Amino acid sequence: MIDDGIAHALPPESIAHHARFIADYERIRESEGRGSASADFYLGLPYRDTSGRNREQWQMRARSYDYLVRHLLDGTERGSRILDLGAGNGWMSYRLALAGYRPCAVDLLTNDQDGLGAARHYRTRLPKLFPRFQAEIRRLPFADEQFDVAVFNASFHYAEDYEASLRETLRCVRTGGLIIIIDTPWYAREESGRQMLAERRAAFLQSHGVAVDAITTLAYLTDARLRSMEDALSIRWQVHRPWYGLRWAMRPLVAKLRGRREPSKFRLYAARKGA
């Protein structure tokens, strides 16, 4: 079914499985001030957050995106097909389309504020709006080797089964193509990740009345998890470390001085699909 340009590719059992998660997630995102009534908000992302509500996060997204384009997509021809996994409001697909690529946006959310429906704002700047699919990553509605690159856009930590999600994504990428993970938290110690989840759950319960644990997700990366993916799928990650600024770089030292758990780090991970 296609509704307002969005192809709904979730099977009935998946709709039921994700229903509570989507409802809770949309509620939290709305209370966090995500989205805007102004088209200028969407057209400025990730470089300008006209709402002013999540400026630091968008600054990080902008640096990750710039690194992606300049260093990881540098040898990728214009016109290449790029799968934007966890596209949200479609900002990355919009930027990639402006740069001459052919993106395809995938997300579970379809609302007009923070989901795929918000991509309507990009119609005024693009000759043709990029395709949008409501789908889950481990059951993608695409042919084998249909894309040149797949990017987990601040979304890999939402995977319920990271091996199955990666395997399905590899199926959709051509031999020699790239799979890239950006803006997913990494911890040196598993214990730190578990502590982060407990803290987040308590904070969400207090602030929003929900814990967003309707489904169990990956939530974060560690070196052990990355190695496990390499062994299971015969891939090799290249780790990239963008510069997010002095304040971000000082976070581990500040946390140590204050006796807090290690903070998350954000890196980019890229792997090529072998023959």
Side-chain angles (χ1 to χ4, degrees):
M1 179 182 73
I2 297 178
D3 181 22
D4 194 26
I6 301 172
H8 294 263
L10 282 177
E13 62 272 20
S14 294
I15 294 175
H17 177 70
H18 292 289
R20 183 184 157 196
F21 170 81
I22 292 173
D24 289 349
Y25 191 74
E26 287 184 332
R27 177 179 169 186
I28 289 174
R29 301 282 285 187
E30 183 178 3
S31 67
E32 289 177 340
R34 307 286 177 168
S36 172
S38 169
D40 289 341
F41 167 76
Y42 300 96
L43 295 172
L45 297 177
Y47 302 108
R48 225 168 17 102
D49 175 12
T50 58
S51 74
R53 290 187 287 261
N54 299 284
R55 189 166 294 159
E56 288 189 5
Q57 187 177 92
W58 283 115
Q59 287 174 347
M60 173 176 284
R61 296 282 185 269
R63 295 189 182 192
S64 295
Y65 175 74
D66 284 344
Y67 192 98
L68 169 74
V69 172
R70 293 171 185 170
H71 298 279
L72 299 181
L73 299 183
D74 184 47
T76 304
E77 295 182 359
R78 296 298 187 269
S80 294
R81 299 157 298 177
I82 300 182
L83 188 55
D84 180 2
L85 297 168
N89 61 40
W91 70 267
M92 181 180 286
S93 286
Y94 166 61
R95 291 290 171 184
L96 290 171
L98 287 178
Y101 298 105
R102 289 189 291 162
C104 178
V106 174
D107 206 285
L108 285 174
L109 273 59
T110 60
N111 66 72
D112 291 342
Q113 289 288 326
D114 195 40
L116 295 172
R120 70 186 189 279
H121 296 291
Y122 307 125
R123 286 193 175 107
T124 60
R125 301 290 178 87
L126 297 174
K128 183 180 180 181
L129 192 59
F130 45 85
R132 293 165 292 160
F133 286 80
Q134 184 192 35
E136 57 183 333
I137 294 171
R138 59 183 178 177
R139 297 176 70 175
L140 293 170
F142 306 116
D144 294 355
E145 304 202 353
Q146 186 172 340
F147 296 93
D148 301 290
V149 179
V151 181
F152 287 91
N153 179 5
S155 61
F156 191 65
H157 44 291
Y158 292 114
E160 295 178 73
D161 184 329
Y162 57 82
E163 184 179 322
S165 297
L166 271 178
R167 193 180 301 278
E168 175 69 348
T169 305
L170 282 166
R171 179 187 66 79
C172 298
V173 173
R174 65 170 175 82
T175 300
L178 274 174
I179 288 185
I180 301 167
I181 298 173
I182 69 172
D183 293 340
T184 279
W186 173 92
Y187 292 95
R189 295 180 293 277
E190 185 77 31
E191 178 185 355
S192 300
R194 289 195 296 266
Q195 188 175 346
M196 176 276 294
L197 285 177
E199 293 168 1
R200 187 182 68 172
R201 188 176 193 278
F204 282 175
L205 280 172
Q206 182 177 1
S207 300
H208 311 292
V210 294
V212 194
D213 57 359
I215 58 176
T216 301
T217 62
L218 172 67
Y220 57 88
L221 290 168
T222 63
D223 284 346
R225 292 181 176 190
L226 289 163
R227 286 193 299 269
S228 176
M229 295 178 217
E230 288 183 328
D231 293 341
L233 301 169
S234 299
I235 58 174
R236 287 297 174 263
W237 294 115
Q238 288 186 336
V239 182
H240 299 261
R241 297 172 173 83
W243 174 251
Y244 292 113
L246 183 60
R247 181 179 177 184
W248 187 263
M250 293 295 291
R251 289 171 73 239
L253 177 60
V254 172
K256 185 174 182 179
L257 291 174
R258 294 179 177 177
R260 297 176 179 172
R261 64 161 173 82
E262 64 165 313
S264 60
K265 291 184 179 180
F266 286 82
R267 303 164 172 178
L268 278 68
Y269 307 89
R272 288 201 178 273
K273 178 179 177 178

